[in-house]
Amino acid sequence: PFLYLANKRLGASRIDSLRNHMFQFANHTEEGQAFSKELGHGGLKEISTADMKALDPYVQDLKAMLR
């Protein structure tokens, strides 16, 4: 999975607004669909628990590299 993350310091309201605007752009506009296709994915979706679990091995590697 390819994830876009927002720092919680932005606040829930601003994060929700950004999420909604990104989803609207990527999934419901011609320009956004073309942009998503160019990036190699078919749009945006909510991050699932399975998505996060799939990234666990990479997180461990990243933590080791940052030490």
Side-chain angles (χ1 to χ4, degrees):
F2 189 81
L3 307 176
Y4 294 96
L5 304 174
N7 192 299
K8 64 183 177 183
R9 288 180 292 184
L10 291 172
S13 177
R14 184 175 278 170
I15 291 171
D16 286 343
S17 178
L18 287 168
R19 179 186 300 114
N20 291 335
H21 282 91
M22 288 177 69
F23 282 7
Q24 177 65 28
F25 173 72
N27 298 328
H28 302 289
T29 68
E30 275 187 42
E31 296 89 355
Q33 290 168 351
F35 183 68
S36 292
K37 186 176 181 180
E38 189 174 317
L39 291 175
H41 54 76
L44 298 179
K45 67 178 185 94
E46 290 288 336
I47 300 167
S48 70
T49 302
D51 293 330
M52 295 303 288
K53 189 83 172 154
L55 295 173
D56 281 350
Y58 302 104
V59 172
Q60 297 306 317
D61 289 343
L62 178 60
K63 285 181 179 180
M65 289 173 25
L66 294 174
R67 289 187 188 143

